[in-house]
Amino acid sequence: MNAALLTPNEVAALAETSKTVVEKALEQKVFGAGRGASHRLLPLHAVALAAAVKSLGRRLTVNDKRLVARKLAALSPSALKTAEIEVAPAVVLRVGSLTRDAVERAERYAAARDAFIEVAEGVQGGRPVIKGTRLTVSAIHGRLASGDTIETLMEDYPDIPRGAFEAALLYAKTHPQVGRPVLRHRGSVA
């Protein structure tokens, strides 16, 4: 079983759905009872469920979502990509075909995030950085948002692999910095 845990923001981004879908599933206790603060960290199968819910719209009841979540939780990451779950007699949800891309994206991201991103006390004030560097994920996000490309970043930092930059970008998007809001330049459109 894959031990990757994801935040609700990460699950929503990887499933390419709104955070509301994931928050609603948490509110409805679709993922089971959480233990302490860990109930905010979700397993890989949450991405499959969120992507399926997005694809099906409001066609699943809360009990159906809970049933699907329980059955997905029992599957290996590779089995998630081909899963078919019977939600009612003669009603089969082909989760694998609906969510394969999202699950693969989540696996790649979780592996890259764990391999390349760290929060180390005493490094950049405890902000997330690329491991072994002082390059913050927010700096990477800022450069990419300002028009730089990952190729440009790779030229500037040849020792850092592409996967680190991709993981840093998604991490920065799903873990907004705490603090003062970003000031907009005069005349810019928000």
Side-chain angles (χ1 to χ4, degrees):
M1 201 56 61
N2 192 332
L5 294 175
L6 303 161
T7 66
N9 284 349
E10 289 171 324
V11 169
L14 293 162
E16 296 179 340
T17 190
S18 73
K19 186 178 173 197
T20 306
V21 168
V22 179
E23 290 293 340
K24 186 78 167 172
L26 283 167
E27 183 181 299
Q28 296 169 334
K29 295 183 172 49
V30 168
F31 300 112
R35 294 177 216 77
S38 67
H39 77 283
R40 297 297 297 175
L41 293 177
L42 302 171
L44 182 65
H45 73 268
V47 174
L49 182 64
V53 169
K54 174 194 167 208
S55 295
L56 297 172
R58 297 180 181 256
R59 295 185 197 129
L60 289 177
T61 67
V62 173
N63 287 334
D64 289 342
K65 291 176 194 175
R66 288 179 183 153
L67 170 73
V68 171
R70 275 194 314 273
K71 290 187 177 189
L72 290 175
L75 299 176
S76 69
S78 61
L80 289 174
K81 299 172 198 171
T82 59
E84 293 187 359
I85 296 174
E86 185 175 352
V87 291
V91 178
V92 176
L93 178 59
R94 294 193 169 139
V95 177
S97 62
L98 291 172
T99 67
R100 183 176 300 111
D101 291 342
V103 170
E104 288 173 352
R105 218 177 9 261
E107 286 179 305
R108 282 191 310 272
Y109 167 72
R113 178 198 63 193
D114 295 346
F116 299 121
I117 298 173
E118 70 179 347
V119 175
E121 192 174 315
V123 177
Q124 293 291 46
R127 294 186 308 174
V129 297
I130 300 292
K131 283 184 181 177
T133 73
R134 297 182 56 78
L135 184 59
T136 65
V137 298
S138 59
I140 292 167
H141 179 256
R143 284 196 53 189
L144 292 170
S146 296
D148 280 349
T149 64
I150 289 181
E151 287 72 23
T152 304
L153 291 172
M154 290 174 64
E155 289 172 11
D156 291 348
Y157 303 98
D159 294 337
I160 300 176
R162 175 187 262 312
F165 292 118
E166 291 170 348
L169 177 60
L170 183 59
Y171 189 93
K173 287 180 178 179
T174 59
H175 296 79
Q177 287 188 58
V178 177
R180 296 176 58 175
V182 175
L183 296 176
R184 303 257 186 242
H185 296 292
R186 284 187 199 171
S188 68
V189 178

